[in-house]
Amino acid sequence: MQTHEIRERFTNHFVETGHTPVPSASLILDDPTLLFVNAGMVPFKPYFLGDQTPDFKNGTATSIQKCVRTLDIEEVGITTRHNTFFQMAGNFSFGQYFKEGAITHAWTLLTGAVEDGGYGLDPERLWVTVYLDDDEAASIWRDKIGVPEERIQRMGMEDNFWSMGIPGPCGPCSEIYYDRGPEYGKEGGPIADDNRYMEIWNLVFMESVRGEGDKKGNFEIVGELPQKNIDTGLGIERVACLLQGVDNVYETDLLRPVIDAAVELTGAKYDDGNQDNDVRFRVIADHARTGMMIILDGVTPSNEGRGYILRRLLRRIIRSARLLGATAPVMETFMNTIMDTMTPSFPEIADNRERILRVAVAEERAFSKTLESGTTRFDEAANAIKSSGAAVLPGEQAFELHDTYGFPIDLTVEMAREAGLDVDMDAFNAAMQEQRDRAKADNKAKKHRNLDESLYREWVDNNPTEFVGYDQLSHDGTVIGLVRDGEKVGEVSQGDEVEVILDVTPMYAEAGGQMADRGRILMGDTILNVNDVQRVGKKLWLHKATVQNGGLDLGSTVTTEVDGAWRHGARQAHSATHLIHAAIRQVLGPTAVQAGSLNKPGYLRFDFNYTDALSDAQLEEIATITNQAVDADFAVNTIETSLDKAKAMGAMALFGENYGDTVRVVEIGGPFSIELCGGTHVDHASQIGPVAVLGESSVGSGARRIEAYSGMDSFKFLSKEAALASGLAAELKAPTEELPDRIAQLTERLRAAEKEIENLHRQQLLASTADLAGQAETVGEHRLVAKQLPEGINTGDLRTIVSDLRGKMQAEDALIVLTSTVGGKVSLAVAATKPAVESGIKAGDVVKVLGEYVEGKGGGKPDLAQGSGANPEGIPAGLHAVRDWLEQR
């Protein structure tokens, strides 16, 4: 049974029993606690936390959620049951059925006949676990379902009790296991061997509230939930293993084709007894799928956050392929293969295929350069270690290669082995653990931010805000809530910073890249200045305001006024963003899709997925198409319709955004621009005014950013540019259209003059120091030039001089040490001839000796090193110390 059919049977089973089907949310949600959605219940978290009341039909839902867990990327492939990306199928009940319902639903699907829509698993091979004292669940399994007592096992809190890791909903769970047979391990059920007995489904009976605690079981139950909920999770990939008769998740129809492609590309063999190679094949398969799905949801490689995770995944693919023997690019093959296997389950892949390939292939090219620089750094470190007679690469240097150069540790270990070195893995692991601890501490701190939204649940459920601001800038409303310093209050007075909740408002709350409105809340002499508006649960508007005059009570009737100039500028910028998006797609193609935006009065920035820098001609064409749309005065229409109809119209949606059943479509010029958008817009394109594109830049691998002005800000910018061009034309006595050529000519002449001056400077410098070789003194068996040169000679020039002297003294066992001061700082350079290096002298060691006296540091190769210091007064003593050091050699 193919994976897409397993998914389909799960959904059909629960829809037929009255559950509302909920599409998978994006891997990227607006949740400060998560980089990626990591569990099937995450999109339902507001309901379990009590922040919102679910409005699903019959109070039940079902979904197959795409998930990513990346806590221990380095462990991927070592076991054969865990993936970074996985599909979690679940059914959810909010105060409806409880333990018996959840157990019955699961058993019926698992053991139901294939011809009846079930999975057809042998009930005699199913085992279950329950929480230690959950006699109710055990009784249901035994008496209602008929599972023999000996196949029901009880486990403790670590295994059979669920919570989110923070104070909130929790409860015991019951897990279903499948006995794969004696060839997979010993008898005795899940307690005895969780490899033979594979967990496939977890049923969580959410009924309690837990308190604070650091570890999974280190907390107390502080109360009961007002209603009992069900949250289950079935692993699609694990069920696929069983129904396809394969040993592990890497052998299923989704991942095995990638391994086969890797075998063909690398020439290595899979499953032939080489455990290291098997892990590499599995890493390629796992990371190719995870990377592809993350790119699908709009992430591009970068050096932080989600982009950093994606970069690590893609680079581990490339590194694994190289260690297996690949010498040519591999990413295009792997990505095409995994997209072929995943498209039946995720049809949206087909529309994004070219973009996914573009991002992944670009990262492969970039990493090839990183490998070159990292290899150079490794070679330097390895040579220095072997020259010193040591045989271990310090863990700190291995971590630097990993963290700074993006060099994977196992590649470092492999190269060290080839160089005859070991790696201090204890020190490396310690550095890695420090980094993980910092990340976990930061994540833990972020988790607690999520709890505050429960403060607003009453209003979200019972009094959501009515937004009337699309066609009104002023409206009366009633104050239904006041929050000050995180607490509900009944009144506020002059000087208070407060969140005002109204039943009706014309003010736009920040969303979709558009900044919130500014304005005032008025009642008689009372004035509140509103400087921000935010939403809670997409239903409640929080007006963040300062009481400028008077006071305000709950129940007061007020007038809310939007700053008209602010709204006008914001509408111009937001509509201009839509035009630029459409223009970008015309010029660059359909793969250049939105990755983020910011709109505020007079200014916009637009991020989009594209790997290459735009040419001046492309940027000019985008600006021209945008302003042609303004000049055409396209009508701007808004349409409320269903999500399916909007997609049929060709409306574009944002990555990571969850849309309801009814959506708002903004159409500018008919087919010119059609997007799902809840923002405010002009009525006609001409109201945007001129759009001045300022330029484009990179915001990470595979992502670009265009910035622009709109309206009067654009006019002011263009006027200044025109005045500047006129001034330059007058100064250069050239027509404005000839300015680029004239400036290019002047720049070239200036560069040539600077180069000539630099050459003259170098020649004069070398001439003035030509007799330094003749001033060399004999120290022991060595020759030494150790001088403080006149002030103003920088480190680069000192390097030139010591290198020249080294050449003149190349036949001698000579050491050259020169210093100077620039702006009160010390610059220094050291060179050693080949005979000196062979006698054991290293320029870097000399830099360290001198550095102790000038409060400096530096480094380099054995024959050439440089550094800097902060104490010029220490130079004489430092040079004397160098003489003493050399004399003792």
Side-chain angles (χ1 to χ4, degrees):
M1 188 181 296
Q2 298 294 291
T3 300
H4 67 273
E5 184 181 348
I6 295 171
R7 288 168 45 94
E8 185 177 2
R9 284 172 179 261
F10 185 94
T11 300
N12 290 343
H13 173 76
F14 283 101
V15 169
E16 289 171 1
T17 55
H19 292 67
T20 300
V22 178
S24 173
S26 167
L27 287 168
I28 307 155
L29 293 184
D30 184 17
D31 186 331
T33 72
L34 296 172
L35 279 176
F36 300 105
V37 170
N38 62 1
M41 57 75 61
V42 168
F44 303 94
K45 192 163 67 169
Y47 312 128
F48 292 129
L49 284 172
D51 294 340
Q52 298 179 37
T53 299
D55 54 4
F56 301 118
K57 180 182 177 182
N58 299 328
T60 60
T62 184
S63 72
I64 301 178
Q65 176 63 43
K66 48 190 177 182
C67 305
V68 168
R69 292 180 184 170
T70 59
L71 184 61
D72 295 307
I73 290 177
E74 288 83 0
E75 301 300 316
V76 168
I78 296 175
T79 70
T80 56
R81 288 185 293 158
H82 297 87
N83 298 132
T84 51
F85 173 88
F86 57 95
Q87 303 171 72
M88 187 58 71
N91 56 291
F92 307 90
S93 170
F94 306 99
Q96 304 303 311
Y97 61 80
F98 198 47
K99 292 182 182 180
E100 184 173 346
I103 290 171
T104 302
H105 281 308
W107 188 261
T108 302
L109 176 60
L110 290 176
T111 63
V114 172
E115 56 269 25
D116 295 332
Y119 291 144
L121 294 179
D122 181 358
E124 299 300 318
R125 302 184 74 168
L126 293 177
W127 290 62
V128 296
T129 61
V130 298
Y131 184 57
L132 288 174
D133 62 0
D134 194 351
D135 296 332
E136 180 185 2
S139 174
I140 293 170
W141 280 116
R142 183 186 62 246
D143 302 333
K144 303 281 186 181
I145 302 300
V147 178
E149 185 77 45
E150 62 269 20
R151 296 212 309 270
I152 303 173
Q153 296 184 327
R154 296 179 185 250
M155 292 188 179
M157 187 164 283
E158 191 70 22
D159 297 292
N160 275 70
F161 199 94
W162 178 91
S163 79
M164 292 174 59
I166 60 174
C170 65
C173 58
S174 179
E175 296 176 336
I176 305 173
Y177 292 78
Y178 184 85
D179 179 4
R180 298 196 290 166
E183 64 270 29
Y184 289 95
K186 60 185 179 181
E187 295 183 4
I191 289 178
D193 191 331
D194 65 357
N195 181 55
R196 170 175 171 171
Y197 301 89
M198 178 187 288
E199 179 195 343
I200 55 177
W201 207 333
N202 185 18
L203 316 176
V204 177
F205 311 132
M206 205 177 298
E207 57 186 359
S208 305
V209 179
R210 60 155 281 187
E212 294 282 355
D214 295 332
K215 297 181 180 179
K216 188 172 181 180
N218 185 27
F219 54 79
E220 62 177 317
I221 304 301
V222 296
E224 297 298 315
L225 290 173
Q227 64 180 23
K228 296 181 177 181
N229 303 318
I230 287 294
D231 159 27
T232 86
L234 172 138
I236 292 290
E237 283 78 7
R238 294 192 180 188
V239 173
C241 285
L242 303 179
L243 297 184
Q244 293 175 19
V246 297
D247 287 342
N248 58 69
V249 293
Y250 295 96
E251 301 289 326
T252 65
D253 59 317
L254 297 185
L255 294 183
R256 182 56 195 246
V258 183
I259 291 177
D260 293 340
V263 167
E264 186 173 345
L265 281 175
T266 64
K269 301 298 182 183
Y270 178 65
D271 197 21
D272 69 345
N274 187 324
Q275 177 63 19
D276 289 342
N277 278 357
D278 286 350
V279 170
R280 289 162 186 155
F281 279 115
R282 292 194 286 263
V283 164
I284 289 171
D286 174 89
H287 290 3
R289 180 170 64 167
T290 306
M292 184 274 293
M293 295 300 294
I294 291 174
I295 297 171
L296 175 66
D297 278 2
V299 179
T300 56
S302 68
N303 289 327
E304 59 183 8
R306 300 181 181 104
Y308 177 64
I309 295 295
L310 174 59
R311 170 159 285 166
R312 286 185 66 195
L313 294 172
L314 297 181
R315 292 187 171 190
R316 278 172 59 83
I317 294 172
I318 301 161
R319 172 260 302 160
S320 296
R322 291 201 176 198
L323 291 177
L324 286 170
T327 56
V330 296
M331 193 61 72
E332 184 173 357
T333 298
F334 293 154
M335 283 294 154
N336 275 324
T337 303
I338 197 63
M339 285 191 284
D340 289 342
T341 70
M342 295 293 288
T343 298
S345 296
F346 299 92
E348 62 269 26
I349 292 173
D351 295 333
N352 292 275
R353 193 176 192 110
E354 184 179 342
R355 177 179 60 82
I356 292 168
L357 278 177
R358 185 192 295 270
V359 172
V361 170
E363 183 62 18
E364 181 173 30
R365 293 197 195 103
F367 188 42
S368 295
K369 298 177 182 177
T370 295
L371 283 174
E372 292 177 9
S373 61
T375 300
T376 300
R377 179 70 185 92
F378 172 85
D379 289 342
E380 291 175 354
N383 290 335
I385 291 167
K386 288 194 287 188
S387 297
S388 68
V392 178
L393 178 72
E396 294 78 10
Q397 287 186 319
F399 182 75
E400 178 193 17
L401 284 165
H402 166 84
D403 198 50
T404 303
Y405 293 89
F407 224 56
I409 182 58
D410 42 0
L411 186 56
T412 300
V413 170
E414 188 86 12
M415 293 176 64
R417 187 181 301 123
E418 293 172 356
L421 301 173
D422 291 324
V423 177
D424 184 349
M425 291 303 298
D426 289 340
F428 173 82
N429 290 330
M432 284 292 294
Q433 190 60 48
E434 287 181 16
Q435 187 183 66
R436 289 193 185 110
D437 290 343
R438 288 193 297 270
K440 287 181 179 179
D442 179 61
N443 189 46
K444 183 178 179 182
K446 289 179 179 178
K447 281 185 178 181
H448 291 275
R449 301 177 199 166
N450 203 59
L451 299 178
D452 295 335
E453 288 193 2
S454 61
L455 176 69
Y456 308 99
R457 179 185 178 185
E458 174 189 347
W459 294 300
V460 171
D461 287 348
N462 303 317
N463 301 102
T465 306
E466 179 186 357
F467 175 63
V468 295
Y470 288 128
D471 50 17
Q472 298 183 58
L473 295 182
S474 178
H475 201 281
D476 292 342
T478 301
V479 178
I480 61 174
L482 293 170
V483 177
R484 182 180 59 208
D485 297 329
E487 295 183 359
K488 298 177 183 179
V489 295
E491 61 182 10
V492 292
S493 56
Q494 186 170 331
D496 284 347
E497 301 287 336
V498 61
E499 294 174 351
V500 181
I501 301 170
L502 304 171
D503 60 343
V504 183
T505 183
M507 284 196 170
Y508 184 80
E510 181 178 352
Q514 181 176 333
M515 293 184 67
D517 279 335
R518 303 293 186 267
R520 301 188 301 172
I521 296 175
L522 306 173
M523 184 188 69
D525 294 333
T526 295
I527 301 173
L528 284 80
N529 292 322
V530 180
N531 49 52
D532 191 16
V533 188
Q534 295 293 324
R535 291 192 295 176
V536 174
K538 297 188 177 183
K539 294 182 178 181
L540 191 72
W541 268 236
L542 302 182
H543 302 75
K544 300 192 174 188
T546 303
V547 184
Q548 177 184 326
N549 189 60
L552 201 61
D553 300 323
L554 274 177
S556 298
T557 299
V558 298
T559 300
T560 305
E561 294 182 348
V562 177
D563 183 326
W566 177 278
R567 171 68 73 83
H568 177 64
R571 293 169 69 211
Q572 288 178 310
H574 201 157
S575 297
T577 302
H578 282 224
L579 298 186
I580 283 182
H581 189 189
I584 287 172
R585 290 172 62 79
Q586 284 192 33
V587 175
L588 303 179
T591 61
V593 295
Q594 181 172 352
S597 66
L598 172 68
N599 315 294
K600 63 180 182 179
Y603 169 84
L604 67 93
R605 71 172 187 232
F606 183 82
D607 298 345
F608 56 100
N609 293 314
Y610 201 70
T611 53
D612 303 321
L614 274 60
S615 66
D616 291 341
Q618 288 173 319
L619 205 59
E620 183 178 354
E621 187 177 2
I622 290 168
T624 299
I625 293 172
T626 300
N627 283 286
Q628 284 174 341
V630 172
D631 185 58
D633 195 21
F634 287 144
V636 179
N637 299 311
T638 56
I639 306 162
E640 289 196 354
T641 184
S642 69
L643 182 58
D644 289 340
K645 288 182 179 179
K647 289 180 178 179
M649 294 168 59
M652 297 191 62
L654 289 177
F655 287 116
E657 185 71 23
N658 289 327
Y659 297 96
D661 294 333
T662 301
V663 296
R664 187 169 182 265
V665 178
V666 176
E667 176 192 80
I668 305 179
F672 181 81
S673 171
I674 307 176
E675 297 190 34
L676 299 182
C677 180
T680 62
H681 290 272
V682 298
D683 298 320
H684 293 271
S686 61
Q687 295 172 338
I688 297 172
V691 178
V693 175
L694 307 180
E696 69 94 33
S697 59
S698 170
V699 287
S701 178
R704 311 296 300 180
R705 169 175 292 170
I706 282 182
E707 296 179 86
Y709 288 133
S710 59
M712 284 302 297
D713 288 86
S714 174
F715 172 76
K716 293 174 183 177
F717 170 76
L718 294 172
S719 295
K720 289 181 180 178
E721 291 288 294
L724 177 61
S726 296
L728 284 173
E731 184 70 25
L732 297 177
K733 297 181 174 58
T736 54
E737 61 270 17
E738 294 181 8
L739 282 178
D741 289 340
R742 183 63 63 87
I743 292 173
Q745 293 170 7
L746 289 174
T747 301
E748 185 60 33
R749 289 166 58 185
L750 179 60
R751 286 175 181 163
E754 288 175 342
K755 189 173 183 179
E756 185 175 351
I757 292 171
E758 183 180 344
N759 289 335
L760 288 172
H761 171 70
R762 183 174 288 106
Q763 291 171 14
Q764 291 172 351
L765 195 61
L766 293 175
S768 67
T769 58
D771 62 341
L772 285 176
Q775 300 177 32
E777 59 181 302
T778 301
V779 179
E781 298 179 357
H782 313 282
R783 299 282 286 166
L784 173 65
V785 177
K787 298 287 184 181
Q788 179 177 0
L789 300 184
E791 184 177 0
I793 303 176
N794 60 36
T795 303
D797 288 336
L798 286 178
R799 279 174 57 95
T800 300
I801 298 170
V802 297
S803 297
D804 180 69
L805 290 173
R806 181 182 57 187
K808 292 178 178 178
M809 304 176 71
Q810 59 183 329
E812 303 180 69
D813 181 336
L815 176 67
I816 303 102
V817 184
L818 300 180
T819 71
S820 180
T821 57
V822 179
K825 301 293 183 180
V826 179
S827 56
L828 57 96
V830 178
T833 62
K834 185 177 180 180
V837 173
E838 291 175 347
S839 70
I841 294 173
K842 296 178 183 178
D845 292 343
V846 179
V847 169
K848 292 178 182 178
V849 172
L850 185 53
E852 293 180 3
Y853 292 86
V854 298
E855 298 177 13
K857 59 182 179 179
K861 298 180 180 180
D863 63 339
L864 183 63
Q866 66 184 45
S868 61
N871 180 25
E873 295 180 359
I875 291 176
L879 293 176
H880 191 272
V882 169
R883 290 187 185 90
D884 293 342
W885 176 86
L886 188 61
E887 191 170 20
Q888 295 171 12
R889 302 295 294 176

